[in-house]
Amino acid sequence: MCEKSCKEPADFSALAPVLEKYGAVKGGLITVLQKTQDIYGYLSMDAIRYIAAKTGIKPAKIYGVATFYTQFRLKPIGKNLIMLCKGTACHVNGADLIEEAVSEYLGIGDGETTADGVFTLNNVACLGCCSLAPVMMVKGADGDETFGNLTKDSVKAILKEIADREKEVAAG
Ligand code: FES
């Protein structure tokens, strides 16, 4: 169908294998959106339009699905995605206080990104390391880092260290 002459945004080429595998599968849209978010960090309107064009599903329907499920993000995320566990074990061990500390320190709430684009905060369900509760995972350029037994002070120190590292990178 669409050969190289098509005006496809070049950066959506990574979606080709995903669409090939799940694009025509009944109920495959959620998987396509999950994989799209994994690749690009969020679901842009361009990505939604691209998926629509490739699958024949109306953009409004895809948008509706993307906004219905809280797992999907429609805005770009920061360089470091803080996944703060709000699962039962973490909740019992003070996850709310940790969230408070993060919000206080960075000035953002759940689902928000700092103005400098360095951090996004996302509350998530169990990260699978409950013995370390309360826990957060930070997804950054260098991969995922997990931090456990958090306190209000330790979480601020961790965020400061990451912010300092980012400043050094920005300064070259
Ligand atoms: S409840 Fe937080 S890691 Fe399991």
Side-chain angles (χ1 to χ4, degrees):
M1 272 217 325
C2 197
E3 299 301 331
K4 278 191 176 144
S5 58
C6 274
K7 281 187 200 153
E8 292 176 4
D11 60 344
F12 290 127
S13 56
L15 277 184
V18 175
L19 288 164
E20 201 173 303
K21 195 163 176 193
Y22 304 101
V25 176
K26 197 171 186 305
L29 178 60
I30 301 267
T31 308
V32 169
L33 295 180
Q34 282 166 339
K35 304 248 176 227
T36 304
Q37 183 163 285
D38 286 348
I39 296 169
Y40 301 102
Y42 75 111
L43 302 174
S44 65
M45 281 313 292
D46 279 350
I48 288 174
R49 279 191 282 268
Y50 181 80
I51 293 165
K54 292 293 178 182
T55 59
I57 302 170
K58 287 196 168 68
K61 176 160 186 215
I62 299 175
Y63 186 77
V65 171
T67 50
F68 180 78
Y69 292 99
T70 53
Q71 63 174 301
F72 295 122
R73 290 182 292 271
L74 297 167
K75 288 190 200 147
I77 53 168
K79 284 185 181 164
N80 298 276
L81 175 62
I82 303 164
M83 294 187 289
L84 183 67
C85 182
K86 299 298 285 282
T88 308
C90 287
H91 179 71
V92 170
N93 283 284
D96 286 349
L97 293 176
I98 303 305
E99 183 182 4
E100 234 175 75
V102 173
S103 295
E104 201 178 283
Y105 191 71
L106 297 177
I108 53 172
D110 181 29
E112 294 177 350
T113 300
T114 53
D116 60 5
V118 173
F119 292 101
T120 294
L121 172 61
N122 261 10
N123 290 339
V124 297
C126 182
L127 286 166
C129 39
C130 311
S131 61
L132 299 176
V135 180
M136 74 174 177
M137 188 185 278
V138 180
K139 263 179 188 287
D142 300 331
D144 301 348
E145 278 182 277
T146 303
F147 303 94
N149 300 313
L150 294 169
T151 64
K152 283 185 109 171
D153 286 341
S154 74
V155 78
K156 286 181 189 175
I158 291 162
L159 296 176
K160 181 178 183 320
E161 199 183 309
I162 296 171
D164 288 347
R165 217 191 292 160
E166 291 291 353
K167 272 184 209 148
E168 272 170 36
V169 172

Short mmCIF file of all heavy atoms in Angstrom, two decimals, residues 107-157:
data_model
loop_
_atom_site.label_atom_id
_atom_site.label_comp_id
_atom_site.label_asym_id
_atom_site.label_seq_id
_atom_site.Cartn_x
_atom_site.Cartn_y
_atom_site.Cartn_z
N GLY A 107 7.52 20.48 42.89
CA GLY A 107 6.40 21.35 42.53
C GLY A 107 5.46 20.74 41.51
O GLY A 107 4.84 21.46 40.72
N ILE A 108 5.39 19.42 41.48
CA ILE A 108 4.46 18.76 40.54
C ILE A 108 3.66 17.69 41.28
O ILE A 108 4.08 17.18 42.30
CB ILE A 108 5.20 18.09 39.34
CG1 ILE A 108 6.31 17.13 39.85
CG2 ILE A 108 5.75 19.12 38.40
CD1 ILE A 108 6.94 16.29 38.76
N GLY A 109 2.50 17.37 40.70
CA GLY A 109 1.68 16.31 41.24
C GLY A 109 1.69 15.11 40.30
O GLY A 109 2.37 15.13 39.26
N ASP A 110 0.91 14.12 40.65
CA ASP A 110 0.83 12.91 39.83
C ASP A 110 0.45 13.24 38.39
O ASP A 110 -0.50 13.97 38.14
CB ASP A 110 -0.23 11.97 40.46
CG ASP A 110 -0.36 10.67 39.70
OD1 ASP A 110 0.63 10.24 39.09
OD2 ASP A 110 -1.45 10.09 39.74
N GLY A 111 1.23 12.72 37.45
CA GLY A 111 0.94 12.92 36.04
C GLY A 111 1.51 14.21 35.47
O GLY A 111 1.35 14.50 34.29
N GLU A 112 2.18 14.99 36.32
CA GLU A 112 2.70 16.28 35.84
C GLU A 112 4.22 16.22 35.59
O GLU A 112 4.91 15.36 36.12
CB GLU A 112 2.38 17.37 36.87
CG GLU A 112 0.89 17.62 36.99
CD GLU A 112 0.54 18.66 38.05
OE1 GLU A 112 1.43 19.06 38.84
OE2 GLU A 112 -0.63 19.05 38.09
N THR A 113 4.66 17.21 34.82
CA THR A 113 6.08 17.31 34.45
C THR A 113 6.62 18.66 34.89
O THR A 113 5.91 19.67 34.78
CB THR A 113 6.22 17.15 32.91
OG1 THR A 113 5.70 15.87 32.54
CG2 THR A 113 7.66 17.26 32.45
N THR A 114 7.84 18.67 35.37
CA THR A 114 8.43 19.94 35.79
C THR A 114 8.62 20.86 34.58
O THR A 114 8.78 20.38 33.45
CB THR A 114 9.81 19.72 36.47
OG1 THR A 114 10.63 18.93 35.60
CG2 THR A 114 9.67 19.00 37.80
N ALA A 115 8.62 22.15 34.84
CA ALA A 115 8.72 23.13 33.75
C ALA A 115 10.00 22.95 32.93
O ALA A 115 10.02 23.21 31.72
CB ALA A 115 8.64 24.54 34.32
N ASP A 116 11.05 22.49 33.58
CA ASP A 116 12.32 22.30 32.85
C ASP A 116 12.37 20.96 32.10
O ASP A 116 13.36 20.64 31.45
CB ASP A 116 13.52 22.43 33.79
CG ASP A 116 13.49 21.40 34.92
OD1 ASP A 116 12.59 20.54 34.92
OD2 ASP A 116 14.37 21.46 35.80
N GLY A 117 11.31 20.17 32.23
CA GLY A 117 11.24 18.90 31.50
C GLY A 117 12.15 17.82 32.05
O GLY A 117 12.40 16.82 31.37
N VAL A 118 12.63 17.98 33.26
CA VAL A 118 13.57 16.99 33.81
C VAL A 118 12.84 15.82 34.48
O VAL A 118 13.28 14.69 34.40
CB VAL A 118 14.57 17.66 34.79
CG1 VAL A 118 15.43 16.61 35.50
CG2 VAL A 118 15.47 18.63 34.03
N PHE A 119 11.71 16.11 35.13
CA PHE A 119 11.01 15.04 35.85
C PHE A 119 9.52 15.00 35.50
O PHE A 119 8.88 16.04 35.33
CB PHE A 119 11.08 15.27 37.37
CG PHE A 119 12.46 15.13 37.96
CD1 PHE A 119 13.21 16.26 38.27
CD2 PHE A 119 12.99 13.88 38.23
CE1 PHE A 119 14.46 16.14 38.83
CE2 PHE A 119 14.26 13.75 38.79
CZ PHE A 119 15.00 14.88 39.09
N THR A 120 9.02 13.77 35.46
CA THR A 120 7.58 13.55 35.43
C THR A 120 7.27 12.61 36.59
O THR A 120 8.02 11.67 36.84
CB THR A 120 7.13 12.87 34.12
OG1 THR A 120 7.35 13.77 33.04
CG2 THR A 120 5.64 12.49 34.14
N LEU A 121 6.19 12.89 37.28
CA LEU A 121 5.79 12.03 38.39
C LEU A 121 4.57 11.21 38.00
O LEU A 121 3.58 11.77 37.52
CB LEU A 121 5.45 12.87 39.63
CG LEU A 121 4.84 12.13 40.82
CD1 LEU A 121 5.79 11.06 41.35
CD2 LEU A 121 4.47 13.11 41.93
N ASN A 122 4.68 9.91 38.18
CA ASN A 122 3.53 9.03 37.93
C ASN A 122 3.37 8.08 39.10
O ASN A 122 4.31 7.38 39.46
CB ASN A 122 3.77 8.18 36.68
CG ASN A 122 3.08 8.73 35.46
OD1 ASN A 122 2.57 9.85 35.48
ND2 ASN A 122 3.07 7.97 34.40
N ASN A 123 2.20 8.07 39.67
CA ASN A 123 1.91 7.06 40.69
C ASN A 123 1.58 5.76 39.98
O ASN A 123 0.85 5.77 38.98
CB ASN A 123 0.72 7.49 41.54
CG ASN A 123 1.06 8.66 42.43
OD1 ASN A 123 2.23 8.92 42.72
ND2 ASN A 123 0.06 9.37 42.90
N VAL A 124 2.13 4.67 40.49
CA VAL A 124 1.89 3.39 39.83
C VAL A 124 1.49 2.34 40.86
O VAL A 124 1.64 2.54 42.06
CB VAL A 124 3.15 2.89 39.06
CG1 VAL A 124 3.53 3.84 37.95
CG2 VAL A 124 4.33 2.69 40.01
N ALA A 125 1.03 1.20 40.35
CA ALA A 125 0.70 0.07 41.23
C ALA A 125 1.99 -0.68 41.55
O ALA A 125 3.07 -0.30 41.07
CB ALA A 125 -0.30 -0.83 40.54
N CYS A 126 1.88 -1.73 42.32
CA CYS A 126 3.04 -2.48 42.83
C CYS A 126 4.15 -2.67 41.80
O CYS A 126 3.93 -3.14 40.70
CB CYS A 126 2.57 -3.83 43.34
SG CYS A 126 3.91 -4.80 44.03
N LEU A 127 5.37 -2.31 42.21
CA LEU A 127 6.53 -2.45 41.33
C LEU A 127 7.19 -3.82 41.50
O LEU A 127 8.19 -4.12 40.85
CB LEU A 127 7.54 -1.35 41.62
CG LEU A 127 7.17 0.05 41.13
CD1 LEU A 127 8.08 1.10 41.76
CD2 LEU A 127 7.25 0.14 39.61
N GLY A 128 6.68 -4.60 42.42
CA GLY A 128 7.18 -5.97 42.57
C GLY A 128 8.35 -6.11 43.52
O GLY A 128 9.01 -7.15 43.52
N CYS A 129 8.65 -5.09 44.28
CA CYS A 129 9.73 -5.23 45.27
C CYS A 129 9.24 -4.69 46.62
O CYS A 129 9.85 -3.79 47.20
CB CYS A 129 11.01 -4.55 44.81
SG CYS A 129 10.77 -3.00 43.95
N CYS A 130 8.15 -5.28 47.07
CA CYS A 130 7.45 -4.80 48.28
C CYS A 130 8.31 -4.85 49.53
O CYS A 130 8.08 -4.08 50.46
CB CYS A 130 6.19 -5.62 48.51
SG CYS A 130 5.16 -5.78 47.06
N SER A 131 9.31 -5.74 49.56
CA SER A 131 10.14 -5.83 50.77
C SER A 131 10.96 -4.54 50.96
O SER A 131 11.50 -4.30 52.03
CB SER A 131 11.07 -7.03 50.71
OG SER A 131 11.92 -6.91 49.60
N LEU A 132 11.04 -3.74 49.91
CA LEU A 132 11.79 -2.48 50.00
C LEU A 132 10.86 -1.28 50.20
O LEU A 132 11.30 -0.14 50.11
CB LEU A 132 12.60 -2.26 48.72
CG LEU A 132 13.66 -3.30 48.37
CD1 LEU A 132 14.30 -2.96 47.03
CD2 LEU A 132 14.74 -3.34 49.45
N ALA A 133 9.59 -1.53 50.44
CA ALA A 133 8.60 -0.45 50.54
C ALA A 133 8.98 0.60 51.59
O ALA A 133 9.50 0.22 52.65
CB ALA A 133 7.24 -1.05 50.90
N PRO A 134 8.73 1.86 51.30
CA PRO A 134 8.18 2.42 50.06
C PRO A 134 9.24 2.56 48.96
O PRO A 134 10.39 2.87 49.24
CB PRO A 134 7.67 3.79 50.50
CG PRO A 134 8.50 4.16 51.68
CD PRO A 134 8.93 2.88 52.33
N VAL A 135 8.79 2.34 47.75
CA VAL A 135 9.71 2.22 46.60
C VAL A 135 9.33 3.18 45.48
O VAL A 135 8.15 3.47 45.28
CB VAL A 135 9.61 0.78 46.02
CG1 VAL A 135 10.53 0.60 44.84
CG2 VAL A 135 9.91 -0.27 47.07
N MET A 136 10.35 3.61 44.76
CA MET A 136 10.08 4.30 43.49
C MET A 136 11.10 3.82 42.46
O MET A 136 12.21 3.40 42.82
CB MET A 136 10.14 5.83 43.62
CG MET A 136 11.52 6.41 43.74
SD MET A 136 11.46 8.22 43.72
CE MET A 136 13.21 8.60 43.98
N MET A 137 10.72 3.88 41.21
CA MET A 137 11.65 3.56 40.14
C MET A 137 11.79 4.82 39.30
O MET A 137 10.80 5.53 39.10
CB MET A 137 11.08 2.42 39.30
CG MET A 137 12.05 1.88 38.28
SD MET A 137 11.26 0.66 37.24
CE MET A 137 11.39 -0.78 38.26
N VAL A 138 12.99 5.12 38.86
CA VAL A 138 13.18 6.27 37.99
C VAL A 138 13.71 5.78 36.66
O VAL A 138 14.75 5.13 36.59
CB VAL A 138 14.16 7.30 38.61
CG1 VAL A 138 14.35 8.49 37.67
CG2 VAL A 138 13.65 7.78 39.96
N LYS A 139 12.95 6.06 35.61
CA LYS A 139 13.35 5.69 34.25
C LYS A 139 14.02 6.88 33.62
O LYS A 139 13.38 7.91 33.40
CB LYS A 139 12.10 5.40 33.41
CG LYS A 139 11.70 3.96 33.28
CD LYS A 139 10.43 3.91 32.42
CE LYS A 139 9.83 2.55 32.38
NZ LYS A 139 10.52 1.57 31.59
N GLY A 140 15.29 6.77 33.37
CA GLY A 140 16.01 7.88 32.76
C GLY A 140 16.79 7.42 31.56
O GLY A 140 16.65 6.27 31.12
N ALA A 141 17.66 8.30 31.05
CA ALA A 141 18.43 7.97 29.86
C ALA A 141 19.35 6.77 30.10
O ALA A 141 19.67 6.03 29.18
CB ALA A 141 19.24 9.18 29.43
N ASP A 142 19.78 6.60 31.34
CA ASP A 142 20.70 5.49 31.64
C ASP A 142 19.99 4.21 32.04
O ASP A 142 20.61 3.29 32.56
CB ASP A 142 21.67 5.90 32.77
CG ASP A 142 22.50 7.11 32.36
OD1 ASP A 142 22.73 7.26 31.15
OD2 ASP A 142 22.90 7.88 33.25
N GLY A 143 18.69 4.17 31.87
CA GLY A 143 17.95 2.96 32.23
C GLY A 143 17.11 3.18 33.47
O GLY A 143 16.87 4.31 33.88
N ASP A 144 16.68 2.09 34.06
CA ASP A 144 15.80 2.17 35.24
C ASP A 144 16.61 2.01 36.51
O ASP A 144 17.48 1.16 36.60
CB ASP A 144 14.77 1.03 35.22
CG ASP A 144 13.90 1.07 33.98
OD1 ASP A 144 13.95 2.10 33.26
OD2 ASP A 144 13.19 0.10 33.73
N GLU A 145 16.30 2.85 37.49
CA GLU A 145 16.94 2.70 38.80
C GLU A 145 15.83 2.56 39.83
O GLU A 145 14.85 3.31 39.80
CB GLU A 145 17.74 3.95 39.15
CG GLU A 145 19.12 4.01 38.52
CD GLU A 145 19.85 5.27 38.96
OE1 GLU A 145 19.60 6.32 38.36
OE2 GLU A 145 20.64 5.21 39.91
N THR A 146 15.99 1.62 40.73
CA THR A 146 14.98 1.42 41.78
C THR A 146 15.54 1.88 43.12
O THR A 146 16.69 1.60 43.45
CB THR A 146 14.59 -0.07 41.86
OG1 THR A 146 14.14 -0.48 40.59
CG2 THR A 146 13.48 -0.28 42.87
N PHE A 147 14.72 2.61 43.84
CA PHE A 147 15.13 3.12 45.16
C PHE A 147 14.12 2.65 46.19
O PHE A 147 12.91 2.86 46.01
CB PHE A 147 15.19 4.65 45.15
CG PHE A 147 16.10 5.20 44.08
CD1 PHE A 147 15.60 5.56 42.84
CD2 PHE A 147 17.46 5.36 44.32
CE1 PHE A 147 16.43 6.07 41.85
CE2 PHE A 147 18.30 5.87 43.34
CZ PHE A 147 17.79 6.22 42.11
N GLY A 148 14.62 2.04 47.26
CA GLY A 148 13.71 1.50 48.26
C GLY A 148 13.94 2.08 49.63
O GLY A 148 14.85 2.90 49.84
N ASN A 149 13.09 1.66 50.57
CA ASN A 149 13.14 2.15 51.96
C ASN A 149 13.21 3.68 52.00
O ASN A 149 14.00 4.26 52.75
CB ASN A 149 14.33 1.54 52.70
CG ASN A 149 14.25 0.03 52.75
OD1 ASN A 149 13.21 -0.52 53.08
ND2 ASN A 149 15.32 -0.65 52.38
N LEU A 150 12.42 4.30 51.14
CA LEU A 150 12.48 5.75 51.01
C LEU A 150 12.00 6.47 52.26
O LEU A 150 11.08 6.00 52.95
CB LEU A 150 11.63 6.19 49.82
CG LEU A 150 12.11 5.74 48.44
CD1 LEU A 150 11.03 6.03 47.40
CD2 LEU A 150 13.41 6.42 48.07
N THR A 151 12.61 7.61 52.50
CA THR A 151 12.11 8.53 53.52
C THR A 151 11.93 9.87 52.82
O THR A 151 12.42 10.05 51.69
CB THR A 151 13.13 8.71 54.67
OG1 THR A 151 14.31 9.31 54.11
CG2 THR A 151 13.48 7.38 55.31
N LYS A 152 11.31 10.82 53.51
CA LYS A 152 11.13 12.14 52.90
C LYS A 152 12.49 12.75 52.55
O LYS A 152 12.67 13.36 51.51
CB LYS A 152 10.38 13.06 53.87
CG LYS A 152 8.90 12.78 53.93
CD LYS A 152 8.18 13.77 54.80
CE LYS A 152 7.35 14.68 53.93
NZ LYS A 152 6.45 15.57 54.62
N ASP A 153 13.46 12.55 53.43
CA ASP A 153 14.79 13.11 53.19
C ASP A 153 15.53 12.38 52.07
O ASP A 153 16.15 13.00 51.21
CB ASP A 153 15.64 13.07 54.47
CG ASP A 153 15.18 14.11 55.47
OD1 ASP A 153 14.48 15.07 55.05
OD2 ASP A 153 15.49 13.97 56.66
N SER A 154 15.46 11.03 52.11
CA SER A 154 16.23 10.29 51.10
C SER A 154 15.67 10.53 49.71
O SER A 154 16.43 10.65 48.74
CB SER A 154 16.28 8.80 51.43
OG SER A 154 15.05 8.16 51.18
N VAL A 155 14.35 10.66 49.58
CA VAL A 155 13.80 10.86 48.25
C VAL A 155 14.23 12.23 47.69
O VAL A 155 14.56 12.37 46.51
CB VAL A 155 12.26 10.67 48.22
CG1 VAL A 155 11.51 11.85 48.77
CG2 VAL A 155 11.78 10.38 46.82
N LYS A 156 14.28 13.22 48.56
CA LYS A 156 14.72 14.55 48.10
C LYS A 156 16.19 14.50 47.69
O LYS A 156 16.60 15.11 46.69
CB LYS A 156 14.52 15.58 49.20
CG LYS A 156 13.06 15.95 49.38
CD LYS A 156 12.89 17.00 50.47
CE LYS A 156 11.43 17.21 50.79
NZ LYS A 156 11.19 18.10 51.90
N ALA A 157 17.01 13.77 48.46
CA ALA A 157 18.44 13.65 48.13
C ALA A 157 18.63 12.96 46.78
O ALA A 157 19.46 13.36 45.96
CB ALA A 157 19.16 12.88 49.23
#
